[in-house]
């Protein structure tokens, strides 16, 4: 027997939750699916496939004010931005749950990023299992799978005209208290098959591939649009700038940044330690496949395939992994 | 509770006590943290750095140029090179700035006790070396010979020039000055820093070399030190990198599996040799 919720009851449950909480879910605007607060449940894209942008937008938005600085009675007053209401992040797939867990690694490492930590604590993750995989999906190679509930508070698996409901966390169960769940003997469908990519051993082999000419060849076609980093659920580079608003109130704003951008490492006086496209492209993959595992304990990729879909010049992370393994294997045995 | 957690991005407010012209484009900022408790807690060691905010323009990282034990003001030397530094240069005493830090590791001066110390600084690179020199001179008997090689583009660009005589008059201490180009009043050496390192024949025996300066200077000083017989572990430098957070999060200063802001900025040359990437 499994816990079950009908499609109508699911929407009713979400609608009820919206009275007290912010509901962020996949919506489609101008052809782009992304996670954003919804005004009514009818706007939710219920079978989003993979959203164009990842749910990191909720915790680490493209641009956010960290705090404001104003003057009051001759004193400088710094006011941090805080989150008013609790929230539900709905409709993320299991690989995106892994993405949130990866994002936690840098942002919750001490000293924790206060605004991220607050959002994380006040948000409950309600995920949707994948009905089907896409050709560019490779989540199983990164330790997740289409029905993986590990990083979610609630997982919904579509079956028998509704959803099988799984929840192992306190947060999830608390949220489900208001849901009209029934006991059902509907059978759990088989998860969709997912393509695989040879990730195993990549961390060990990566140092041997660092100086290969392959990176230059690949980077020659990169137009450093940065989209790979922006859609990535695990890319977390950022920039911080000040803006002055009404009444001279200063906003210190954090925005997404990408290691692919030419000025990313440029220091005062003009020196740029990573001046070439090849060095920057390589940095992105070494950060994911070597530095993140060494610093934070995990490869910085979920296998969601978003970067594969979005890249205008077909730079393909699956191909890169496969090529690194091939070159690395040759170097390792000393072959020419 | 996270709501009670202080955001590590929020700076402490500080009052600019003085801004002193060191060169035509470098000012020394002497800042006093406003909150007394913060002032007491703000302890740091030579080599560490802090972010200074010009509110409304932005914040940038600077090597701390003062020694914490004097505790009268937090000092940074600011060269006017970009928008934040230009805004800082415009500030008058009494202005409120933001200070966030201290961050990073430091020069392991405890380990250097009993050793001869060679300090090689180019231009604004002298800023994080000044507290090293002060600490050694204030504890003079703990260290061997102290040689300080200071260079800049021109005589007017020598930072902390008013302090050199005081340093050089201490026992077992010599200060070697050089400029890339002299002027009408300059009677001293006109040479590049690496040439001076070669000329004065620094001895590697029981010695440590501490370098800070522009990347190109560091590169050629390393060549000379190597020729003199310095081993990589005897050479220490402080790396400059683009930074936005100082917390190991923004990933701007990531080089190999290190973050310059947390694992550095002080690295020995044998550590740097282990980086996959030249930085």
């Amino acid at each position: 027997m499994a816990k079950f919720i009908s499609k109508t009851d699911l929407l009713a449950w979400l609608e009820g939750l919206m009275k007290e909480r912010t509901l962020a879910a996949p919506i489609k605007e101008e052809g782009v699916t992304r996670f954003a607060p919804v005004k009514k449940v009818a706007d939710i894209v219920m079978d989003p496939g993979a959203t164009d942008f990842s749910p990191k937008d909720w915790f680490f938005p493209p641009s956010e004010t960290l705090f404001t600085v104003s003057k009051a009675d001759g004193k400088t007053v710094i006011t941090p931005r805080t989150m008013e209401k609790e929230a539900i992040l709905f409709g993320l797939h299991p690989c995106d749950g892994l993405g949130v867990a990866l994002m936690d690694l840098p942002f919750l490492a001490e000293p924790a990023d206060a605004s991220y930590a607050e959002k994380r604590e006040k948000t409950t993750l309600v995920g949707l299992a994948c009905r089907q995989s896409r050709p560019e999906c490779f989540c199983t190679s990164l330790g997740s799978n289409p029905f993986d509930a590990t990083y979610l508070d609630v997982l919904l698996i579509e079956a028998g005209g509704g959803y099988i409901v799984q929840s192992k966390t306190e947060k999830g169960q608390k949220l489900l208290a208001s849901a009209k769940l029934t006991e059902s003997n509907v059978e759990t469908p088989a998860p969709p098959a997912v393509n695989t990519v040879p990730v195993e051993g990549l961390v060990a082999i990566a140092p041997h591939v660092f100086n290969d000419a392959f990176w230059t060849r690949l980077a020659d076609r990169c137009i450093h649009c940065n989209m790979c980093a922006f859609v990535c659920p695990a890319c977390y580079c950022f920039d911080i700038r000040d803006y002055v608003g009404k009444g001279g109130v200063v906003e210190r704003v954090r925005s997404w940044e990408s290691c692919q951008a030419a000025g990313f490492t440029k220091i005062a006086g003009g020196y740029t330690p990573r001046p070439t496209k090849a060095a920057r492209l390589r940095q992105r993959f070494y950060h994911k496949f070597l530095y993140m595992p060494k610093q934070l304990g995990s490869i910085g990729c979920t296998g969601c395939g978003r970067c594969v879909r979005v890249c205008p010049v077909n730079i393909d992370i699956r191909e890169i992994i496969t090529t690194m393994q091939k070159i690395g294997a040759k170097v390792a045995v000393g072959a020419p | 509770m996270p709501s009670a957690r202080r955001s590590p991005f929020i700076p402490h407010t500080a009052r600019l006590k003085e801004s002193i012209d060191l060169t035509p484009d470098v000012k020394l900022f002497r800042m006093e943290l406003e909150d007394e408790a913060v002032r007491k807690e703000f302890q740091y060691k030579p080599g560490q750095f802090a972010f200074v905010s010009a509110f409304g323009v932005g914040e940038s990282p600077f090597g701390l140029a003062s020694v914490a034990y004097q505790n009268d003001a937090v000092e940074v030397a600011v060269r006017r090179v970009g928008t934040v530094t230009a805004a800082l240069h415009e500030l008058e005493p009494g202005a409120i700035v933001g200070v966030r830090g201290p961050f990073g590791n430091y020069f392991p001066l405890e380990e250097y006790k009993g050793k001869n110390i060679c300090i090689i600084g180019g231009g604004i690179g002298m800023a994080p070396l000044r507290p090293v020199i002060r600490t050694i001179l204030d504890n003079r008997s703990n260290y061997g010979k102290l040689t300080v090689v200071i260079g800049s583009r021109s005589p007017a660009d020598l930072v902390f020039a008013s302090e050199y005589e005081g340093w050089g008059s201490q026992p077992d201490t010599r200060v070697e000055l050089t400029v890339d180009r002299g002027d009408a009043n300059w009677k001293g050496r006109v040479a590049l820093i690496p040439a001076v390192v070669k000329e004065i024949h620094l001895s590697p025996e029981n010695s440590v070399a501490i370098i800070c300066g522009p990347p190109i200077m560091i590169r050629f000083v390393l060549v000379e030190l190597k020729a003199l017989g310095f081993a990589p572990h005897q050479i220490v430098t402080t790396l400059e990198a683009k930074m936005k957070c100082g917390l190991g999060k923004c990933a701007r200063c990531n080089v190999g599996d290190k973050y310059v802001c947390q694992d550095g900025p002080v690295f020995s040359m044998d550590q740097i040799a282990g980086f996959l990437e030249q930085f």
Side-chain angles (χ1 to χ4, degrees):
Chain A
M1 294 292 271
K3 294 256 188 303
F4 182 85
I5 193 165
S6 73
K7 290 190 174 179
T8 326
D9 287 340
L10 173 69
L11 292 179
W13 174 55
L14 292 174
E15 208 152 30
L17 293 171
M18 277 176 74
K19 284 174 194 147
E20 304 281 322
R21 300 173 178 82
T22 305
L23 176 66
I27 54 165
K28 194 164 191 164
E29 273 179 351
E30 295 179 343
V32 176
T33 45
R34 64 188 324 154
F35 288 83
V38 296
K39 290 191 187 75
K40 49 185 197 297
V41 291
D43 292 341
I44 301 174
V45 182
M46 288 303 290
D47 179 24
T51 50
D52 295 307
F53 284 86
S54 88
K56 82 173 170 190
D57 299 24
W58 176 248
F59 298 106
F60 171 48
S63 182
E64 69 182 315
T65 300
L66 295 171
F67 58 84
T68 58
V69 187
S70 53
K71 291 261 183 201
D73 301 329
K75 293 285 280 180
T76 302
V77 181
I78 301 179
T79 315
R81 280 284 165 92
T82 53
M83 189 174 165
E84 284 164 22
K85 286 200 274 183
E86 295 213 345
I88 302 143
L89 185 61
F90 174 83
L92 65 171
H93 288 315
C95 66
D96 283 337
L98 171 61
V100 175
L102 291 178
M103 203 55 75
D104 286 349
L105 298 175
F107 285 123
L108 296 184
E110 285 303 326
D113 182 307
S115 100
Y116 180 93
E118 186 188 20
K119 278 185 251 180
R120 195 67 177 86
E121 195 142 315
K122 289 185 179 171
T123 303
T124 306
L125 305 177
V126 181
L128 282 175
C130 300
R131 280 209 314 212
Q132 51 198 2
S133 67
R134 292 193 179 217
E136 60 275 17
C137 291
F138 58 105
C139 62
T140 53
S141 304
L142 275 314
S144 186
N145 68 70
F147 284 10
D148 182 13
T150 313
Y151 305 103
L152 301 167
D153 296 306
V154 178
L155 177 69
L156 305 170
I157 303 168
E158 197 172 341
Y163 297 90
I164 294 169
V165 182
Q166 296 179 353
S167 174
K168 287 196 182 108
T169 72
E170 205 178 302
K171 259 173 156 181
Q173 279 162 11
K174 207 176 126 195
L175 202 70
L176 284 169
S178 63
K180 202 174 152 192
L181 300 182
T182 54
E183 292 292 334
S184 162
N185 50 15
V186 64
E187 254 182 68
T188 306
V194 180
N195 289 332
T196 59
V197 173
V199 174
E200 210 182 313
L202 190 62
V203 177
I205 220 155
H208 304 293
V209 192
F210 193 80
N211 290 315
D212 200 274
F214 155 72
W215 296 109
T216 306
R217 273 176 60 177
L218 194 64
D220 279 345
R221 67 180 203 250
C222 173
I223 56 169
H224 46 72
C225 67
N226 302 339
M227 282 306 293
C228 51
F230 295 161
V231 299
C232 178
C235 270
Y236 59 88
C237 293
F238 60 80
D239 195 30
I240 296 179
R241 284 169 193 269
D242 280 9
Y243 296 93
V244 184
K246 277 182 197 160
V249 175
V250 173
E251 284 184 56
R252 183 148 294 170
V253 175
R254 166 175 43 207
S255 308
W256 288 350
E257 176 59 288
S258 159
C259 58
Q260 304 306 287
F264 186 75
T265 58
K266 187 177 169 187
I267 58 174
Y271 175 67
T272 302
R274 206 173 285 131
T276 64
K277 270 203 297 189
R280 295 196 295 273
L281 184 87
R282 182 177 61 187
Q283 167 67 15
R284 182 159 189 273
F285 295 100
Y286 273 74
H287 195 197
K288 291 185 174 302
F289 300 146
L290 183 61
Y291 312 150
M292 259 190 84
K294 283 182 135 188
Q295 292 168 322
L296 299 168
S298 179
I299 282 182
C301 175
T302 68
C304 73
R306 284 186 179 91
C307 57
V308 178
R309 277 196 301 283
V310 81
C311 181
V313 294
N314 294 333
I315 291 173
D316 186 328
I317 194 167
R318 300 168 303 173
E319 223 174 274
I320 289 170
I321 294 169
T322 309
T323 308
M324 285 175 76
Q325 294 280 20
K326 272 189 201 152
I327 297 170
K330 273 190 205 160
V331 174
V333 297
Chain B
M1 284 301 290
S3 47
R5 199 196 295 268
R6 183 186 163 89
S7 165
F9 292 105
I10 295 183
H12 302 297
T13 54
R15 190 168 295 277
L16 182 61
K17 287 174 82 175
E18 274 181 283
S19 84
I20 302 162
D21 286 311
L22 294 181
T23 77
D25 63 356
V26 178
K27 282 187 178 188
L28 181 71
F29 283 80
R30 309 195 71 235
M31 302 167 292
E32 186 179 61
L33 293 155
E34 286 202 299
D35 188 291
E36 204 183 317
V38 170
R39 215 177 311 160
K40 283 206 182 97
E41 274 170 29
F42 199 89
Q43 294 299 321
Y44 51 95
K45 293 187 169 169
Q48 290 196 282
F49 67 95
F51 284 82
V52 179
S53 289
F55 291 121
V57 182
E59 69 173 359
S60 295
F62 300 96
L64 289 159
S66 45
V67 284
Y69 54 81
Q70 284 186 338
N71 217 13
D72 56 337
V74 176
E75 296 178 352
V76 292
V78 178
R79 187 171 151 221
R80 188 183 188 124
V81 282
T83 47
V84 173
T85 51
L88 289 172
H89 270 236
E90 296 304 315
L91 296 177
E92 298 288 340
I96 297 296
V97 294
V99 175
R100 206 160 60 83
F103 293 116
N105 67 352
Y106 45 84
F107 294 106
L109 292 179
E110 286 292 312
E111 285 174 31
Y112 298 162
K113 282 185 176 170
K115 289 186 191 296
N116 301 315
I117 314 277
C118 316
I119 289 173
I120 304 163
I124 190 76
M126 277 308 291
L129 300 178
R130 180 177 176 242
V132 178
I133 296 167
R134 285 206 167 170
T135 305
I136 292 169
L137 293 180
D138 288 345
N139 302 275
R140 193 66 199 87
S141 58
N142 287 342
Y143 300 91
K145 279 184 207 149
L146 173 65
T147 309
V148 185
V149 180
I150 304 166
S152 69
R153 287 169 298 176
S154 77
D157 290 312
L158 287 163
V159 290
F160 307 116
S162 64
E163 299 176 30
Y164 301 161
E165 210 180 301
W167 297 346
S169 66
Q170 301 284 320
D172 264 343
T173 305
R174 67 184 218 202
V175 177
E176 300 285 347
L177 299 183
T178 187
V179 295
D180 297 354
R181 286 177 307 276
D183 62 20
N185 301 318
W186 180 253
K187 296 193 175 59
R189 201 185 260 120
V190 177
L192 297 176
I193 294 176
V196 178
V197 171
K198 189 177 176 181
E199 177 201 318
I200 64 172
H201 245 88
L202 288 172
S203 164
E205 205 190 323
N206 191 32
S207 292
V208 176
I210 302 176
I211 320 170
C212 186
I216 188 84
M217 175 212 115
I218 294 178
R219 196 164 305 161
F220 287 101
V221 166
L222 288 176
V223 172
E224 296 304 338
L225 289 175
K226 204 174 157 194
L228 289 165
F230 278 79
H233 71 269
Q234 289 177 282
I235 308 171
V236 179
T237 187
T238 165
L239 290 182
E240 189 180 355
K242 183 80 177 174
M243 290 175 191
K244 286 287 175 174
C245 72
L247 308 163
K249 301 193 196 298
C250 77
R252 303 296 285 263
C253 69
N254 170 236
V255 50
D257 60 354
K258 303 278 186 271
Y259 281 114
V260 174
C261 72
Q262 288 199 316
D263 302 302
V266 175
F267 292 99
S268 67
M269 283 317 298
D270 53 350
Q271 280 179 298
I272 291 174
F275 293 173
L276 278 174
E277 201 174 5
Q278 182 94 36
F279 228 61

